[in-house]
Amino acid sequence: MKRLTLNSMALLAGALLAAPVLADEAPEGPLEIVVGAGPGGGYDRLARAIQEVLDTEGIIPNTINLTYQPGAGGAVAWATVNRSAGDMTKISIFSPNIVTGEVLGTDTISFSDMTMLSMLVFEDGCFAVNPDAEINSAEKLIEALQDDANNVRFGFAVSAGNQWHVAMARLVEAVGADVSRLRSTVFDSGGRAVAALLGEHVDVVATGCAQFAQYHEAGDLTVIGVSAPERMGGVLADVPTWQEQGHDVVWGAWRGILAPRDLTESQISWWEEKLRAVTESSAWIPVAEENYWRTAFLNSADTTEMLVAEREEYGRALRALGLIE
Amino acid sequence: MDVLLNLMSGIQTAVSGPNLLFILLGASVGTWVGMLPGIGPATAIAVLLPFTFSLDPTSALIMLSGIYFGAMYGGSIASIMLNIPGDASSVMSTLDGYPMTQKGRAGAALLLAATASFVGGTLGLIGLTLIAEPVSRLALRLGPSEYFMLMVFALAATASTVQGSAVKGFISALLGLAIATIGIDLQSGSSRFTFGTPELMDGIPLLVAIIGVYAVTEVMMTVEGLVSGRWQAPKAIGKLWATKAEWLRVRFTFFRASVIGFLVGLMPGAGGAVATLLAYSTEMRFSRRRDEFGKGAPEGLVAPEAANNASVSGALVPLLTLGIPGSSATAVLLGALMMHGIQPGPRLFVEQPVLTWGVIGGLYVANIALLVLNVPLIGLWVRILKVPAALMMTVILVLAIVGSFSLSNSMFDVWLMLLFGVLGYLMRKTGVPITPMILGLVLSGMIEQSLRQTLSLSGSDWSVFVTRPVSLIFLLMTVAMILLPLVAKPRRGQQ
């Protein structure tokens, strides 16, 4: 009995002593999101959404500032963040560029050199055609591809080998056509790709669904397939997924949060908890809906695991496209 | 007359309540910010965007419109008074604007620029109001092959900016074309001349180059002049207002340049720089006083100024009717719309009539406001010339460094900018003109990418350039532009 009490007292004391160690290390002072593109872009919208939700929901006491460091699809900002090793007050948003840059050999920095804090959202892909063109439906597109992929003029933005390029490549493969014959043209912005489709200079464009919503609603363009596991909401609710149409194409963009290298376990788990709270808050839902984001929180370990798998898959896809050897 | 009713209600929105104040505030702040080296309309809007977040979307957009036009005029002031353009679309204004200042005609130059901006802006807006919808559909028919030929035409037109040695002009343009190959190649995804530097992946930032070769080079030239004692203060400021003869010379230029500016602006991505270049070279072709261009010809200033402002309205057509930004400044405006929760697209006019017509009304009002605000201030602006050179150059150098740093918050851009300053200095010392290099840098990326887009879309079939009518027209215009001077020369000799 006495021994037990002593034991439990020792346990209690141990717990008390350990408590400060067990609680996550919180950052002091203002936090900074380094945005890897200019104001108003995709990175900025997500950064602002996070800033707003953290603020309005009172998830953290710190103030959050945004700074802009555009360049190389985000790689300039990531490199800047990563220079502050062990500093948990600096984070940045990543996209599939973090994998494709490494696979293509254009980035000198790899996600494995940094701390991947979490995955946050998916931006699912939509494929659209021009209703006035010859290829104006999913059936006609597939038919043309199966005849010869070189018949189909595919337009996308913003860099060769990115998620939309690969999404299209997967569709071509799924319908049994030759990927290397695909006639792909890269435009320097999503808007230019949409303009090329409106003007019938290309036959099909794949990009994030948000970009097409208004054109689909107005009848200027027809979205014919979604490369996601489930349908989109809103005005795109009538568009079937590629899987529904019998083609196993699930490929899109995703966005998550990274921090500099050498963060401690406890610093990482502080961020994991806060970022999870953001995606689970009620203020988040309308923002996500408005931007066609599919919320998909993953913790740090799972995010890194997912990126490793993506890197493998991108490597395979880009080899099939002939972009790398 | 639905359009007129809509426009009237738009103007009413723009002048009602605090909105008029926002326009005036935007136009004045825009003018001041636009004068800084490296800050053109796109950067000015991006920098001032966060200040509009607390406003409702209509007021915010109206204020941004004021900033847009204000920053353009600010850029003109710096180009004319100091030979330091804020961005690529005000580069052409330095060619004759600065020589006018050197001749003591700074006041007249500023007045002509303000009037040209007003006329170009207003004519462009009338175009935007009346024919936005049908014209935007037509402009979409122009694809990569037409863009390629238009850019080649513009490249041929850069010859009109060269004074003196044609060979040196050629070297300068080629230098620009070569520098533009740095960065990731869009079509293949491979990096060229980046040496693993992430900052170079997107290529040499145009604004960094412009700040360097204009602002820093100007500082170096002036300092050298001050040290060697050869530097001369600008001539006493002559008559403040433009003479009757000057007005008469440019009366048609206003309209020709506005039409060119609007049409080029309609093509998404062509941009204000191409509009100003084509307006300038057209004016030169039609002028009987061709030899005065580059030495302070008022037409040479009025043409790019009117074209630049008209191109803004042109660029707004695809933005407002289709949600496609036509220029870097409208791309920032698009971002601003989205940040205010508005998804621009083909339904914008239907779903947000108050906003869209409010913005158009706001632009009309901003145009008038700029004229009213700035003409009385011309007397103040010309006093910039009375600031001691040593002080002025210090300020310019500081602003150049701050400006290049703020583009992407990186010291890399500052070093690059200073490097371009040295390059510009060497070019000036050897008599190699700077403008063709900047124009080459502007055009090169578009020429290469549109050529490769065309060939990938056509399946490597070169005949599309002659089978597509608009592309053929641009091709013939290019050939004419190159050959006509060769044919015309001997005839002049016979006379």
Side-chain angles (χ1 to χ4, degrees):
Chain A
M1 188 74 193
K2 213 176 177 184
R3 241 168 116 178
L4 254 175
T5 321
L6 267 176
N7 260 351
S8 43
M9 275 177 74
L11 267 174
L12 191 68
L16 279 174
L17 279 173
V21 183
L22 282 175
D24 294 333
E25 186 187 336
E28 282 170 29
L31 306 178
E32 185 183 1
I33 306 181
V34 184
V35 182
Y43 285 138
D44 189 33
R45 282 203 299 286
L46 184 57
R48 278 183 194 283
I50 295 167
Q51 183 189 34
E52 201 184 305
V53 173
L54 282 173
D55 221 36
T56 54
E57 299 280 303
I59 296 171
I60 52 169
N62 316 56
T63 52
I64 307 115
N65 300 320
L66 303 191
T67 52
Y68 297 91
Q69 211 170 45
V76 174
W78 305 331
T80 302
V81 167
N82 202 37
R83 272 193 283 275
S84 315
D87 180 357
M88 72 182 295
T89 65
K90 277 202 176 81
I91 58 171
S92 187
I93 295 166
F94 64 78
S95 69
N97 287 347
I98 204 163
V99 170
T100 55
E102 187 184 336
V103 174
L104 284 167
T106 49
D107 280 3
T108 45
I109 193 164
S110 160
F111 67 84
S112 42
D113 304 330
M114 299 177 263
T115 307
M116 299 292 116
L117 289 175
S118 80
M119 190 60 71
L120 282 188
V121 294
F122 277 89
E123 280 185 13
D124 293 320
C126 275
F127 290 60
V129 294
N130 190 320
D132 301 328
E134 209 172 302
I135 297 176
N136 60 3
S137 65
E139 293 73 38
K140 288 203 179 140
L141 173 68
I142 308 263
E143 217 171 274
L145 283 173
Q146 282 171 339
D147 182 32
D148 182 353
N150 201 31
N151 292 335
V152 177
R153 297 170 301 171
F154 167 60
F156 68 104
V158 61
S159 60
N162 73 357
Q163 63 271 16
W164 310 127
H165 202 175
V166 171
M168 182 64 190
R170 289 180 86 93
L171 179 68
V172 176
E173 280 181 344
V175 302
D178 182 0
V179 175
S180 65
R181 304 258 317 145
L182 182 64
R183 217 190 267 186
S184 326
T185 304
V186 193
F187 292 89
D188 58 4
S189 73
R192 296 290 296 279
V194 170
L197 184 59
L198 288 168
E200 295 182 42
H201 303 290
V202 295
D203 299 312
V204 55
V205 167
T207 190
C209 291
Q211 185 125 32
F212 284 136
Q214 272 222 353
Y215 302 95
H216 184 71
E217 192 187 7
D220 288 303
L221 297 177
T222 314
V223 179
I224 54 167
V226 180
S227 57
E230 57 204 70
R231 290 189 182 204
M232 295 286 104
V235 295
L236 295 170
D238 63 319
V239 183
T241 65
W242 282 125
Q243 282 183 325
E244 281 178 61
Q245 302 178 57
H247 313 296
D248 190 19
V249 183
V250 177
W251 201 257
W254 28 260
R255 295 187 195 277
I257 304 294
L258 62 80
R261 61 183 193 274
D262 302 339
L263 252 55
T264 64
E265 281 303 316
S266 122
Q267 288 172 323
I268 292 173
S269 71
W270 184 88
W271 268 117
E272 282 175 339
E273 188 199 317
K274 305 305 172 198
L275 291 168
R276 182 198 293 275
V278 167
T279 57
E280 285 173 356
S281 77
S282 55
W284 175 259
I285 296 164
V287 183
E289 250 171 43
E290 198 178 289
N291 285 290
Y292 289 84
W293 292 331
R294 181 157 53 89
T295 306
F297 178 86
L298 290 180
N299 69 19
S300 176
D302 291 345
T303 302
T304 309
E305 197 179 313
M306 175 185 156
L307 292 181
V308 171
E310 290 277 320
R311 180 167 59 188
E312 189 85 11
E313 200 49 40
Y314 268 105
R316 198 195 62 76
L318 299 191
R319 263 188 296 278
L321 281 167
L323 289 171
I324 52 170
E325 283 170 12
Chain B
M1 291 260 65
D2 269 1
V3 170
L4 283 183
L5 278 179
N6 285 330
L7 180 62
M8 282 304 140
S9 70
I11 291 177
Q12 207 172 2
T13 310
V15 296
S16 62
N19 284 351
L20 183 61
L21 190 73
F22 288 136
I23 291 179
L24 292 172
L25 192 67
S28 342
V29 174
T31 307
W32 283 95
V33 174
M35 270 193 278
L36 307 176
I39 300 201
T43 321
I45 295 173
V47 168
L48 299 171
L49 181 61
F51 296 104
T52 68
F53 283 142
S54 53
L55 306 176
D56 74 90
T58 309
S59 299
L61 261 290
I62 284 174
M63 183 167 169
L64 289 174
S65 320
I67 294 171
Y68 197 155
F69 275 146
M72 290 175 68
Y73 188 67
S76 308
I77 296 174
S79 301
I80 293 167
M81 305 297 299
L82 302 166
N83 201 21
I84 299 174
D87 69 346
S89 50
S90 52
V91 161
M92 297 300 292
S93 299
T94 60
L95 287 179
D96 285 278
Y98 187 61
M100 281 185 82
T101 296
Q102 286 176 314
K103 288 198 292 188
R105 304 291 301 138
L110 288 175
L111 182 65
L112 287 172
T115 316
S117 301
F118 172 74
V119 174
T122 306
L123 289 178
L125 284 169
I126 292 172
L128 168 67
T129 314
L130 295 180
I131 52 170
E133 186 65 28
V135 147
S136 66
R137 301 275 153 180
L138 277 178
L140 285 176
R141 295 274 144 198
L142 307 179
S145 57
E146 285 80 15
Y147 276 87
F148 173 68
M149 278 301 161
L150 175 70
M151 295 305 153
V152 170
F153 180 60
L155 189 64
T158 55
S160 65
T161 68
V162 177
Q163 298 289 313
S165 163
V167 173
K168 285 181 177 173
F170 209 65
I171 291 173
S172 174
L174 282 178
L175 197 58
L177 293 174
I179 291 170
T181 58
I182 296 172
I184 285 194
D185 166 45
L186 204 59
Q187 303 300 321
S188 69
S190 52
S191 41
R192 300 188 291 208
F193 312 114
T194 58
F195 309 106
T197 317
E199 282 87 350
L200 286 176
M201 299 258 188
D202 296 335
I204 299 288
L206 184 59
L207 285 174
V208 167
I210 289 177
I211 301 173
V213 294
Y214 287 100
V216 174
T217 301
E218 195 65 34
V219 170
M220 290 170 81
M221 294 296 288
T222 310
V223 168
E224 189 193 60
L226 285 172
V227 170
S228 66
R230 275 194 309 248
W231 191 78
Q232 286 179 324
K235 274 192 197 152
I237 295 143
K239 242 179 77 178
L240 202 54
W241 305 117
T243 61
K244 199 177 170 197
E246 281 168 332
W247 284 113
L248 279 175
R249 277 181 72 168
V250 296
R251 66 191 187 280
F252 297 121
T253 310
F254 286 122
F255 301 100
R256 277 196 292 262
S258 300
V259 172
I260 292 172
F262 182 71
L263 291 179
V264 175
L266 281 176
M267 300 177 68
V274 176
T276 54
L277 169 61
L278 292 181
Y280 184 90
S281 74
T282 308
E283 219 39 58
M284 196 165 159
R285 300 268 141 217
F286 282 113
S287 176
R288 269 171 295 155
R289 287 181 264 204
R290 202 174 296 178
D291 49 324
E292 285 178 36
F293 276 77
K295 299 182 186 108
E299 302 96 311
L301 173 64
V302 164
E305 284 294 320
N308 194 15
N309 284 52
S311 81
V312 171
S313 307
L316 283 170
V317 171
L319 178 73
L320 293 178
T321 58
L322 298 164
I324 293 160
S327 65
S328 52
T330 46
V332 184
L333 274 185
L334 178 91
L337 280 166
M338 293 172 81
M339 309 237 65
H340 280 285
I342 295 155
Q343 179 72 44
R347 297 183 57 77
L348 191 65
F349 265 102
V350 184
E351 285 176 357
Q352 304 275 355
V354 177
L355 178 118
T356 37
W357 286 105
V359 169
I360 294 174
L363 288 165
Y364 275 98
V365 178
N367 235 334
I368 298 166
L370 268 177
L371 198 64
V372 174
L373 281 177
N374 279 309
V375 170
L377 284 179
I378 286 175
L380 175 71
W381 300 134
V382 293
R383 266 180 235 172
I384 293 175
L385 297 177
K386 298 205 172 153
V387 176
L391 178 63
M392 195 70 209
M393 291 305 132
T394 314
V395 172
I396 289 174
L397 191 60
V398 169
L399 290 176
I401 290 170
V402 174
S404 52
F405 178 78
S406 66
L407 290 175
S408 50
N409 291 312
S410 101
M411 274 311 285
F412 184 86
D413 286 347
V414 176
W415 294 117
L416 197 61
M417 183 275 297
L418 293 172
L419 195 68
F420 269 96
V422 174
L423 176 67
Y425 175 78
L426 294 176
M427 288 170 76
R428 292 259 298 253
K429 290 306 262 185
T430 49
V432 177
I434 283 169
T435 318
M437 179 180 84
I438 293 299
L439 294 172
L441 195 51
V442 172
L443 295 172
S444 176
M446 289 193 276
I447 288 180
E448 190 202 338
Q449 294 306 328
S450 55
L451 172 65
R452 292 174 56 190
Q453 285 167 349
T454 307
L455 292 177
S456 118
L457 292 174
S458 72
S460 301
D461 177 5
W462 289 79
S463 70
V464 287
F465 292 114
V466 288
T467 53
R468 294 181 63 101
V470 178
S471 160
L472 180 64
I473 291 169
F474 286 140
L475 175 63
L476 294 176
M477 281 161 67
T478 310
V479 172
M481 187 183 279
I482 294 168
L483 292 185
L484 274 184
L486 302 178
V487 183
K489 246 181 195 160
R491 218 180 275 162
R492 198 183 282 170
Q494 284 164 13
Q495 279 170 0

